[in-house]
Amino acid sequence: MTARIGVVTFPGSLDDRDSRRAIRLAGAEPVALWHKDKDLKQVDAVVLCGGFSYGDYLRAGAIARFSPVMDTIIDQAKAGMPVLGICNGFQILTEAHLLPGAMLGNDHLHFICRDQKLRVENADTAWTTDYTAGQEIHIPLKNMDGRYVADDYTLDKLEGEGRVAFRYVDFNPNGSLRDIAGITNEAGNVVGLMPHPEHAVEPLIGTGRTDGLPFFTSILKKLVNA
């Protein structure tokens, strides 16, 4: 039976089709989910894609967190369903308190778009098992509010529990504390990151590499072997 992975579209989402394409390339079935619907259509996992949900009014991800679909996603994530938040999706996950910390405006106050080197810090989450710890990958990055912040206690807890999933290498593009590019929850089923792996799944687009595809093959293997 083919694994079904939902991709939520909010008003202002930009990368929902790209995420569905990446899921299809990995061998799973992408399922379009609408922000006003609480029904997840029996998907096995969910991707919250990048973009500017609700125009980033009030605060990036703050309004999307209250969309009807998020009530179901929060409940299902707490019950163990895998959820990946990419860029704006990461922001939504912090607003929904599925991940700790917050996302602030880039320290240089400008939108940034570049190919970014990352180091895989945790290869044991539902979304990272096809990587190896310490592996360096190149993933496109594009954000205005990408600066990850948290208090020292939370940061130390993330570090101590191995919950920093990805770290910026060579260049910190937005001032994120401790060069954090992505984190995971305690159970490893919820992952958020700022760079866009869905833009690095084919040689002819994005970075010209396929470094982002293991996100989607990892979850496929997790679901198939569950």
Side-chain angles (χ1 to χ4, degrees):
M1 187 174 179
T2 303
R4 292 163 50 85
I5 302 177
V7 179
V8 180
T9 298
F10 299 93
S13 293
L14 300 180
D15 302 300
D16 42 356
R17 291 188 178 185
D18 302 81
S19 296
R20 294 199 299 268
R21 180 175 179 80
I23 290 165
R24 188 176 297 109
L25 287 171
E29 177 186 352
V31 178
L33 301 176
W34 184 237
H35 71 110
K36 285 188 175 181
D37 298 330
K38 288 193 173 185
D39 181 13
L40 297 185
K41 301 180 180 179
Q42 297 182 315
V43 298
D44 304 297
V46 167
V47 174
L48 301 177
C49 66
F52 303 91
S53 60
Y54 294 92
D56 280 350
Y57 292 116
L58 181 62
R59 188 172 60 247
I63 301 177
R65 176 262 177 273
F66 292 101
S67 288
V69 73
M70 287 304 299
D71 291 336
T72 310
I73 290 174
I74 290 169
D75 289 342
Q76 292 297 308
K78 290 179 178 179
M81 184 181 72
V83 178
L84 174 65
I86 302 170
C87 195
N88 188 230
F90 187 8
Q91 295 161 343
I92 294 169
L93 290 176
T94 61
E95 292 289 343
H97 303 298
L98 287 174
L99 292 175
M103 311 302 300
L104 300 181
N106 297 342
D107 60 352
H108 46 72
L109 304 180
H110 294 286
F111 180 86
I112 189 168
C113 182
R114 56 172 277 134
D115 292 343
Q116 178 67 46
K117 184 189 288 188
L118 305 177
R119 183 170 61 248
V120 180
E121 302 284 22
N122 185 333
D124 295 323
T125 79
W127 299 91
T128 59
T129 55
D130 271 357
Y131 294 109
T132 58
Q135 181 180 352
E136 294 186 352
I137 60 177
H138 292 78
I139 303 289
L141 173 76
K142 49 177 186 174
N143 65 70
M144 180 67 189
D145 299 289
R147 178 161 53 111
Y148 180 76
V149 298
D151 57 55
D152 286 338
Y153 173 82
T154 299
L155 293 170
D156 290 343
K157 192 169 189 286
L158 290 172
E159 299 273 15
E161 295 177 355
R163 291 169 53 195
V164 175
F166 296 90
R167 215 180 297 269
Y168 297 116
V169 176
D170 294 340
F171 173 73
N172 186 324
N174 45 39
S176 290
L177 297 181
R178 305 194 189 182
D179 299 326
I180 291 174
I183 61 175
T184 180
N185 68 343
E186 292 181 6
N189 63 302
V190 179
V191 171
L193 79 159
M194 285 310 296
H196 288 258
E198 77 279 13
H199 295 323
V201 295
E202 296 179 283
L204 294 179
I205 62 172
T207 59
R209 302 159 62 120
T210 59
D211 290 3
L213 191 59
F215 275 91
F216 306 99
T217 56
S218 292
I219 190 59
L220 178 58
K221 291 178 180 177
K222 168 74 173 178
L223 296 172
V224 169
N225 294 327

